[in-house]
Amino acid sequence: MVRETTTEVHHHKETFLTRYIFSMDHKVIAIQYLITALAMGFIGLFLSWLMRIQLGWSGRQFPFLSRLFPGGVEEGIIKPEFYLAMVTMHGTIMIFFFITAALVGGFGNFLIPLQIGARDMAFPFLNMLSYWVFLASCIVLVVSFFVTGGPAAAGWTAYPPLSGVAEAIPGSGLGQTLWLLSLALFIASSLFGSLNYITTTLNLRTKGLSMGRLPLTVWALFITAILGLLSFPVLLAAAIMLLFDRHLGTSFFLPRLFIAGHQAGGEGGNPILWQHLFWFLGHPEVYIAILPAMGITSEVLATCCRKPIFGYKAMVLSLLAIAFLSFIVWGHHMFVSGMNPLLGTAFMTTTLLIAVPSAVKTFNWLATIWGGNIKFTAAALFAIGFVSVFTTGGLTGIFLGNPPVDIQLHDTYFVVAHFHFVMGTAAVFGIFAGIYHWFPKMFGRMMNEPLAKAHFWLTFIGVYLIFFPMHYLGISGVPRRFYDFANYDFIPPSVSGVNIFISIAALIVGAAQILFLVNFVWSLWKGPKAEKNPWKATTLEWQAESPPPHGNWGPQLPTVYRWAYDYSRPDATEDFVPQTVPVVGAPAGTDGGKH
Amino acid sequence: MVKKQKGSIHAGLFLLVTILIVLAAVVITAGRFWWLPPLASEHGAWTDRLFVVTLLITGIVFVLVQIALAYFVFRHRDDPERRAAYFHDNKPLEITWTLVPAVIMTLLIVSGGRLWSRIHQSPPEGAYEVEVWGEQFKWALRYPGKDGQFGRTDIRLINDTNPLGIDTKDPASKDDIFFPAGEGELHLPVGEPVVVRLRSKDVLHSFYVPAFRVKQDAVPGMVIKTWFVPTKEGEFELVCAELCGLGHYQMRGIVIVEPMEKVQEWLSQQQTVMDVIP
Ligand code: HEM
Ligand SMILES: [Cu+2]
Ligand SMILES: [Cu+2]
């Protein structure tokens, strides 16, 4: 387990190019991932503004939009196909290119080596390759905005035949091809990352750092990597098969069709096959996004409450249980797809069971807070906010996981509310908590706390105003992926008022993210210099310089003597004991059998 | 107890905001300002009941957990004179809060599973049958005619006069009654079991009648049957609930529920395949 304990000498000369651009240093790669992901996140956010403009004020002319998007907006009115393209690109960007990239690529790269006392990832070159392939996937996706027909418009789930036949919707031309290529690249990059994280966590832990002493962030990222490694390849295969169907005349997913006045498709293809393959990744994917955010929340809560995380073992076991179950619940997206109803029963069982480990985690966070002495850093606020939105979103999953109830709620705004809380907002809160917490370590400077707290309050209140009312729309039966609701009598007239309300809230919350952007950029250059351990935390990264040098540690790797959560030990004078402090009277590298 | 506690503003604000969120959620939900559409089917009463049960359970948990979170945060806010407690395990507590959700979930799984299989048991013999086809962005219909049999169809036979690709050589086709997409309404008998055969010519669609609590995808290449019992006479809206293209939001249909005699009478006045396709 311990590979090397002495200095690693760096022979190669570092130029600007190898240091910041083609770097193999996990910290630089982490920052590259994080900043690229944030940039993508802002694009996704911008798209949500446009969607909200359409949903709030359908039919109203906004001439400035015509100037911005001559192809998608006619006389100031967003076209339906452009609306659907935005829904698709918003969802795709937010899920893969923002939250997954930031949490797994960004925090995974930054935290794993530092928190396990390694000098770098096991395969630094593969790591660099992972980032560059990811960047290529971002570029391909962004380029698809500018091709004829516009970007993909079949939803982030890309169900064929809509995504399989060019005539089905304008976005299913070149746009959809680029979408599939981009996703294939993204998956390749993510696989490189997963291999690295798993190997690194298993092999490069420093002396004394047994698996049972790992911080929960590392546990979460490690399990996430396993999830990614096992589920992403399935989507890669599906994406390639769909490309074949589109361009080489196969028919994996396309039966005989009659679209736009002529015959299409082939013999024997089955559209439902895609749904199985897609959700075999798609469901684990939401856990790929949420597990690291859970890890970050656990870490930040313990630090800011000055208390050990409650139920460490249960936290690890519940992560494992969630990860395992997440592989066998994908069918809950398909209760009304035409899949055999018997399968529905099986998927209902596994899905509702996931509520148990999720509840355990929530109770453990509550118990961590109980008896604490909470330092209200911005990171702490976002971690507490995470527990709030995760609870709200998790509970609505109990409706959707129960097929008789799901019949009515499926593909309505209830689902939009559900996943924006449990996955969207929760993951984003994890990202913000992580950035506010580790920014000093990443860049050696502090962020502005008052500004960060203002950002929290606007965002926290805002997301409830945006997404909570969507539950009521869904209960009233309002379908999702709808460009306009005017045609229907069953939709109560009050819905248009609700939509205006949501849109105003969304515009404000979107604008509030500028506070974060300004704070981030300003602090990079002007923030006060950070000490080694500004939050008085116990984990290893806080024993390194801020920011840590290439190779992370001085001549000697750190040795670990205790678990990651020795906060407020009654027998210690300070209210935290770093993992590197030996336990009095116990042999080196052990804690005498106790935490 | 006038101690200066740092972070009181944030603790207080979090408590206040949480209370407001919880209050708003409870008042709006309990007041049913927005609620399920008026019900018009038999099994809908059962699914609605399960919905309400789930709402009660999750609602109680929502209120308890959110308030506990906010109260804990408020109560344990930063106090320079105090030190945090040191504990990190409590077996009985942990076992309890694992078992309680497990039991509740098991109950939901059992009731959900039973209801699901009840909804999906096979329809009674001789139930009224109708075929609904999705196509971008309208609904087409076919009734089996006097023989109660639907004739064979083939996508390759589709042309202007034969929009569903009905095989006129199949004897069962002769008396079929069909309506090209966007023409004709879906006539269903009240109080009788109704089987809807869902099909699609092009992409996925979903047959969603909010008042019936029925939602079932239409998949090209497949015939998917769903059945239910309409319980109210009147006109209801049919909505497409699976993204099917740029006109998805306009894919509206009308369902007319009336006594069986009226349905039969109406059907007997319609032209059959023999009359329409040369
Ligand atoms: C202020 C922030 C956000 C707003 C206002 C917003 C708004 C919306 C809207 C209006 C839709 C389309 C609903 C429809 O027509 O069906 C949507 C879809 C979606 N959003 Fe967001 N969103 C936000 C943030 C996020 C985040 C952070 C995520 C991250 C996971 C996310 C993931 C998605 C996904 C996956 C879809 C579904 C796309 C599809 O139907 O294919 N959103 N969002
Ligand atoms: Cu899922
Ligand atoms: Cu449709």
Side-chain angles (χ1 to χ4, degrees):
Chain A
M1 178 193 311
V2 183
R3 236 184 34 175
E4 38 103 34
T5 39
T6 46
T7 331
E8 189 180 275
V9 190
H10 293 280
H11 303 287
H12 59 274
K13 274 232 180 62
E14 295 213 324
T15 63
F16 177 81
L17 210 64
T18 57
R19 180 139 181 209
Y20 294 109
I21 310 294
F22 294 105
S23 169
M24 294 200 250
D25 182 332
H26 72 101
K27 299 180 293 296
V28 178
I29 297 173
I31 290 165
Q32 290 172 326
Y33 253 115
L34 195 60
I35 289 179
T36 313
L38 286 172
M40 294 303 279
F42 273 96
I43 298 180
L45 182 71
F46 179 69
L47 294 175
S48 80
W49 268 13
L50 297 178
M51 288 189 285
R52 283 315 324 178
I53 287 178
Q54 166 59 28
L55 294 175
W57 299 279
S58 180
R60 170 96 64 98
Q61 289 177 319
F62 296 95
F64 73 96
L65 287 181
S66 294
R67 252 165 282 140
L68 275 176
F69 306 99
V73 184
E74 217 163 61
E75 295 182 14
I77 295 180
I78 290 171
K79 292 197 232 170
E81 56 267 42
F82 188 57
Y83 176 79
L84 291 175
M86 288 188 296
V87 173
T88 305
M89 295 303 270
H90 163 81
T92 309
I93 287 176
M94 286 300 196
I95 289 195
F96 295 110
F97 296 84
F98 175 35
I99 58 178
T100 305
L103 286 163
V104 181
F107 289 105
N109 265 311
F110 191 76
L111 292 179
I112 292 177
L114 276 170
Q115 290 197 327
I116 66 171
R119 296 200 182 276
D120 207 313
M121 284 289 178
F123 313 116
F125 179 78
L126 198 62
N127 210 16
M128 177 179 80
L129 203 61
S130 161
Y131 172 72
W132 288 100
V133 175
F134 165 64
L135 187 67
S137 74
C138 293
I139 292 171
V140 172
L141 195 73
V142 170
V143 163
S144 80
F145 275 102
F146 305 100
V147 301
T148 30
W156 84 281
T157 49
Y159 282 2
L162 190 59
S163 61
V165 182
E167 295 81 40
I169 187 168
S172 283
L174 187 51
Q176 188 69 48
T177 303
L178 292 179
W179 187 93
L180 287 164
L181 283 176
S182 161
L183 221 63
L185 289 171
F186 181 90
I187 293 169
S189 123
S190 139
L191 291 178
F192 298 158
S194 294
L195 279 173
N196 235 332
Y197 299 166
I198 295 171
T199 319
T200 306
T201 311
L202 288 179
N203 292 326
L204 297 189
R205 278 171 289 124
T206 192
K207 187 160 176 240
L209 188 58
S210 57
M211 291 300 273
R213 286 176 174 174
L214 284 179
L216 287 172
T217 27
V218 178
W219 264 115
L221 289 161
F222 174 65
I223 295 171
T224 301
I226 299 175
L227 272 184
L229 192 70
L230 297 179
S231 62
F232 262 123
V234 176
L235 184 61
L236 181 59
I240 293 171
M241 285 153 81
L242 187 51
L243 280 172
F244 276 27
D245 273 10
R246 292 169 50 83
H247 301 291
L248 300 177
T250 57
S251 56
F252 294 109
F253 307 120
L254 303 178
R256 241 177 242 300
L257 305 169
F258 189 83
I259 291 191
H262 38 89
Q263 311 276 340
E267 197 69 64
N270 186 347
I272 293 186
L273 174 61
W274 167 270
Q275 300 179 25
H276 282 295
L277 296 176
F278 180 87
W279 288 114
F280 188 85
L281 161 89
H283 192 85
E285 165 60 27
V286 308
Y287 288 96
I288 288 172
I290 208 66
L291 292 186
M294 288 174 163
I296 290 173
T297 298
S298 305
E299 203 59 33
V300 170
L301 274 184
T303 309
C304 75
C305 294
R306 318 304 298 158
K307 254 194 83 211
I309 194 80
F310 185 87
Y312 176 85
K313 274 211 188 95
M315 284 304 222
V316 174
L317 288 177
S318 55
L319 282 174
L320 286 169
I322 290 176
F324 172 74
L325 286 173
S326 79
F327 275 108
I328 46 174
V329 299
W330 79 87
H332 62 213
H333 299 272
M334 300 170 59
F335 288 140
V336 302
S337 67
M339 173 181 82
N340 187 327
L342 264 180
L343 276 175
T345 313
F347 283 120
M348 167 191 69
T349 309
T350 50
T351 301
L352 293 184
L353 281 180
I354 276 203
V356 177
S358 310
V360 167
K361 296 202 84 70
T362 306
F363 294 142
N364 282 349
W365 286 319
L366 288 178
T368 303
I369 293 172
W370 181 261
N373 195 15
I374 307 171
K375 313 278 181 237
F376 288 95
T377 58
L381 288 172
F382 272 104
I384 294 167
F386 174 97
V387 180
S388 172
V389 294
F390 179 74
T391 303
T392 303
L395 285 170
T396 48
I398 296 175
F399 293 78
L400 300 169
N402 208 338
V405 181
D406 183 58
I407 296 175
Q408 184 70 2
L409 299 175
H410 178 77
D411 263 334
T412 66
Y413 265 83
F414 195 88
V415 178
V416 180
H418 161 71
F419 69 68
H420 275 96
F421 272 112
V422 78
M423 168 184 65
T425 329
V428 171
F429 276 32
I431 292 172
F432 285 138
I435 291 179
Y436 286 129
H437 192 71
W438 279 290
F439 189 92
K441 190 54 63 186
M442 288 181 174
F443 301 105
R445 290 180 186 273
M446 306 297 288
M447 289 183 82
N448 181 300
E449 279 283 314
L451 206 56
K453 287 172 186 165
H455 171 227
F456 168 76
W457 285 111
L458 285 169
T459 309
F460 179 68
I461 298 172
V463 296
Y464 270 98
L465 294 180
I466 298 172
F467 297 117
F468 209 85
M470 291 187 185
H471 293 119
Y472 299 108
L473 300 187
I475 293 172
S476 313
V478 178
R480 69 189 272 214
R481 294 168 169 177
F482 261 42
Y483 164 76
D484 182 283
F485 308 105
N487 279 338
Y488 296 89
D489 299 329
F490 79 95
I491 296 179
S494 57
V495 160
S496 61
V498 178
N499 267 325
I500 293 176
F501 175 87
I502 295 176
S503 292
I504 293 173
L507 292 173
I508 295 174
V509 170
Q513 305 315 306
I514 293 172
L515 293 184
F516 167 77
L517 192 65
V518 168
N519 197 350
F520 191 94
V521 175
W522 185 85
S523 305
L524 273 183
W525 316 107
K526 293 282 154 88
K529 283 255 186 300
E531 333 156 12
K532 251 184 176 181
N533 191 358
W535 318 119
K536 300 195 190 317
T538 54
T539 39
L540 287 179
E541 77 275 27
W542 303 105
Q543 299 302 315
E545 300 297 321
S546 296
H550 196 61
N552 294 346
W553 318 99
Q556 199 74 29
L557 285 178
T559 306
V560 167
Y561 296 94
R562 51 182 77 234
W563 75 328
Y565 297 101
D566 264 341
Y567 288 102
S568 303
R569 277 188 81 101
D571 57 1
T573 36
E574 288 259 32
D575 70 351
F576 73 109
V577 189
Q579 287 188 278
T580 48
V581 174
V583 177
V584 192
T590 75
D591 61 359
K594 296 192 301 275
H595 285 317
Chain B
M1 225 201 76
V2 204
K3 272 189 298 184
K4 180 96 183 78
Q5 299 198 340
K6 282 194 283 174
S8 286
I9 308 173
H10 296 291
L13 200 53
F14 190 73
L15 186 59
L16 180 72
V17 170
T18 303
I19 290 175
L20 289 178
I21 291 170
V22 168
L23 263 182
V26 170
V27 168
I28 297 175
T29 311
R32 298 195 176 188
F33 293 102
W34 290 277
W35 196 244
L36 300 166
L39 176 68
S41 76
E42 188 184 80
H43 76 276
W46 314 329
T47 59
D48 285 9
R49 193 173 333 122
L50 190 56
F51 171 82
V52 172
V53 170
T54 311
L55 185 62
L56 282 175
I57 295 173
T58 54
I60 291 169
V61 177
F62 173 76
V63 173
L64 291 181
V65 172
Q66 296 291 4
I67 295 291
L69 174 67
Y71 170 67
F72 288 11
V73 166
F74 182 75
R75 171 160 174 181
H76 302 288
R77 64 195 183 277
D78 191 7
D79 178 350
E81 285 158 35
R82 191 166 52 84
R83 196 169 171 146
Y86 184 82
F87 61 85
H88 48 66
D89 280 298
N90 184 334
K91 275 274 141 54
L93 201 59
E94 293 184 65
I95 291 175
T96 314
W97 71 41
T98 310
L99 286 185
V100 170
V103 169
I104 297 176
M105 285 307 125
T106 309
L107 292 178
L108 281 176
I109 290 168
V110 170
S111 49
R114 284 170 54 179
L115 181 48
W116 184 242
S117 44
R118 189 157 161 196
I119 293 171
H120 283 280
Q121 65 193 325
S122 30
E125 285 288 313
Y128 178 87
E129 258 190 284
V130 54
E131 199 169 80
V132 177
W133 289 65
E135 75 174 66
Q136 292 181 325
F137 303 101
K138 292 187 169 92
W139 300 98
L141 305 168
R142 182 159 71 130
Y143 297 87
K146 295 232 163 46
D147 64 353
Q149 302 268 326
F150 291 96
R152 213 180 67 83
T153 65
D154 188 331
I155 292 275
R156 284 168 292 195
L157 298 176
I158 293 180
N159 59 39
D160 286 348
T161 47
N162 188 359
L164 298 185
I166 295 171
D167 180 0
T168 45
K169 293 198 196 76
D170 181 352
S173 301
K174 304 257 189 263
D175 62 347
D176 288 5
I177 300 163
F178 74 92
F179 296 91
E183 296 170 29
E185 295 119 358
L186 182 56
H187 285 251
L188 302 180
V190 67
E192 307 271 345
V194 170
V195 177
V196 177
R197 293 159 47 101
L198 286 164
R199 312 190 58 175
S200 167
K201 276 157 88 165
D202 42 30
V203 298
L204 301 176
H205 301 274
S206 192
F207 177 88
Y208 175 33
V209 184
F212 294 169
R213 314 296 190 254
V214 168
K215 191 179 283 140
Q216 177 62 61
D217 286 5
V219 181
M222 287 174 78
V223 180
I224 298 172
K225 287 190 187 182
T226 183
W227 77 276
F228 51 90
V229 181
T231 50
K232 280 206 190 110
E233 288 180 42
E235 245 186 62
F236 302 94
E237 279 173 310
L238 162 60
V239 188
C240 179
E242 180 63 69
L243 177 58
C244 60
L246 57 90
H248 171 52
Y249 70 106
Q250 289 174 320
M251 192 160 159
R252 177 176 181 267
I254 290 292
V255 183
I256 295 174
V257 178
E258 55 198 3
M260 185 61 116
E261 309 83 71
K262 279 206 179 159
V263 177
Q264 297 296 4
E265 188 188 319
W266 176 81
L267 276 174
S268 64
Q269 293 158 0
Q270 307 308 315
Q271 291 184 308
T272 62
V273 167
M274 263 195 315
D275 308 325
V276 188
I277 304 179

